[in-house]
Amino acid sequence: MSMPNFTYVRPGSLREVFPHLAAGDARIHAGGTDLLGCLRDKVLTAEKVVSISRLEELGRIERLTNGSVRIGALATVATLENHELLRKSYPALAQAASEVASPQLRNQGTIGGNLCQKPRCWYYRGEFHCTRKGGTRCFALAGENEYHCILGGRGCYIVHPSDIAPALAALGASLEIAGAGGTRRIPVEKLFVLPEQAITKETTLEPGEVLTAVLLPPAEPGWHSSYRKVRARGSWDFALAGVALALLLQGGKVAQARIVLAAAAPVPWRCSEAEKVLTGQSLDDETIARAAAAAMQGARPLRDNGYKVELFKGLVEEELAAYRRN
Ligand SMILES: Cc1cc2nc3c(=O)[nH]c(=O)nc-3n(C[C@H](O)[C@H](O)[C@H](O)COP(=O)(O)OP(=O)(O)OC[C@H]3O[C@@H](n4cnc5c(N)ncnc54)[C@H](O)[C@@H]3O)c2cc1C
């Protein structure tokens, strides 16, 4: 397929970005690794492509005076992977970043673009007028669905494609979003929407809004985190299954837990029941097995993806068991 024609602008300040976004069918361009493919494959349209790459202030990672860490939306995935503070204090994020795509894509792709990327369902990305494109049929339901969701699907069965989003949700991150009318802040989980809420949207961003930063809460003593990804092949690939964990361990017990699954659902999937099972308990075999089973509560596999239920259970079990050494 060929690239459609569009106007390309590269404003020098955030203030100048908003009028461009307000004018017609405009799209934000950060690293372009997802956007350009979507335009070429006609998944998205654009009359104007608005590059935010000149906004240097969006590329910074800094520790704020209250101890939280602010990551500008243009920070590249490779920067997150290699950042000393993130590797030490927020390992789930650095590990998730290291699992994204290939080195070339990590050098070019940004954290903002990673959170706002479009899903990878082959029907959605292909020439099918599916429910996510405003059609009346989900082709994955009766089609090839081994990589689709087992939780949270209704009318559309995509999985959320990001490795970074589940890690941020486990870490309790929030997002700074700017629009022409001002700035708002939301927990990262509130960025994503299920098909039953809005089948043609993946995020709660309003037209004309820009994701400007990710904010990590101060790293408190006793918290540990990790991200583990399983993929179908050894080289770069999107997740078949992934789990982000953040655990507060005190006196040999789990005082608080956050468990978020990747590639299970159309959004990063928080396992509240499994978190309840763990809270106040030591990580013995029985507790871990009960938590892994609870993580799959409500799972409804499609014809070809029942294997994911056991895969996720095994993944959660293995990852929780690894925390016994802390
Ligand atoms: C071959 C391939 C393999 C990949 N594998 C993985 C993987 O294993 N795991 C994974 O997590 N990801 C994977 N990705 C996705 C990759 O990480 C993303 O493409 C990348 O992070 C997007 O960043 P970008 O800056 O290039 O975004 P762009 O392509 O510039 O933008 C992506 C989308 O986000 C919007 N957007 C960008 N920045 C903002 C902003 N600040 N505010 C509001 N909207 C914005 C754009 O309008 C566009 O719709 C893969 C991509 C490719 C092409």
Side-chain angles (χ1 to χ4, degrees), residues 29 56 202 297 320 323:
H29 177 282
E56 275 173 30
E202 292 81 39
Q297 191 172 303
L320 285 172
Y323 278 79

Side-chain angles (χ1 to χ4, degrees), residues 40-325:
R40 182 201 54 208
D41 297 341
K42 314 280 185 282
V43 171
L44 294 176
T45 59
E47 284 170 14
K48 189 182 271 189
V49 169
V50 185
S51 170
I52 55 173
S53 62
R54 276 179 68 202
L55 310 185
E56 275 173 30
E57 69 274 24
L58 298 197
R60 280 187 220 123
I61 301 180
E62 54 195 337
R63 202 208 286 260
L64 305 181
T65 46
N66 66 2
S68 60
V69 174
R70 187 177 191 280
I71 303 174
L74 282 179
T76 64
V77 177
T79 309
L80 307 178
E81 176 188 4
N82 298 313
H83 198 276
E84 207 175 314
L85 170 64
L86 300 181
R87 286 167 74 106
K88 181 166 166 280
S89 302
Y90 305 93
L93 175 55
Q95 287 164 12
S98 75
E99 296 281 0
V100 169
S102 62
Q104 292 90 337
L105 286 159
R106 294 198 290 276
N107 281 332
Q108 180 69 15
T110 64
I111 187 169
N114 186 273
L115 297 180
C116 299
Q117 62 177 297
K118 289 284 170 185
R120 289 277 157 179
C121 167
W122 38 46
Y123 298 105
Y124 172 70
R125 292 266 173 168
E127 293 173 20
F128 294 85
H129 191 58
C130 67
T131 48
R132 186 153 291 276
K133 288 183 187 146
T136 54
R137 188 170 156 203
C138 168
F139 294 86
L141 252 187
E144 293 185 23
N145 51 38
E146 64 261 43
Y147 298 139
H148 288 75
C149 73
I150 54 171
L151 287 155
R154 186 181 288 180
C156 171
Y157 296 85
I158 58 159
V159 292
H160 187 74
S162 166
D163 289 304
I164 289 176
L168 291 178
L171 291 168
S174 52
L175 303 176
E176 186 186 277
I177 294 166
T183 300
R184 63 188 176 102
R185 193 167 153 173
I186 57 168
V188 71
E189 286 162 283
K190 298 272 182 212
L191 180 67
F192 306 109
V193 288
L194 284 166
E196 67 192 38
Q197 295 167 276
I199 205 161
T200 57
K201 284 177 74 172
E202 292 81 39
T203 73
T204 52
L205 286 181
E206 296 293 337
E209 283 190 320
V210 182
L211 173 58
T212 45
V214 173
L215 293 133
L216 295 169
E220 304 287 355
W223 277 98
H224 302 267
S225 73
S226 59
Y227 179 73
R228 167 124 175 255
K229 170 175 178 174
V230 174
R231 61 191 102 205
R233 51 186 193 164
S235 62
W236 65 262
D237 209 349
F238 286 89
L240 209 52
V243 59
L245 292 179
L247 301 183
L248 176 60
L249 299 175
Q250 284 173 343
K253 296 203 167 157
V254 178
Q256 280 185 60
R258 286 196 289 265
I259 306 179
V260 188
L261 304 181
V267 299
W269 190 260
R270 183 92 183 255
C271 302
S272 309
E273 289 306 314
E275 292 171 5
K276 279 189 210 149
V277 169
L278 291 177
T279 306
Q281 304 299 316
S282 58
L283 288 169
D284 55 66
D285 286 350
E286 198 219 317
T287 303
I288 287 179
R290 283 199 299 121
M296 284 292 98
Q297 191 172 303
R300 283 194 179 63
L302 303 171
R303 190 193 59 220
D304 299 329
N305 67 3
Y307 72 93
K308 277 196 172 189
V309 175
E310 291 309 312
L311 182 57
F312 273 109
K313 276 192 201 161
L315 196 56
V316 172
E317 278 192 27
E318 278 188 17
E319 281 303 280
L320 285 172
Y323 278 79
R324 284 178 178 146
R325 62 176 178 264

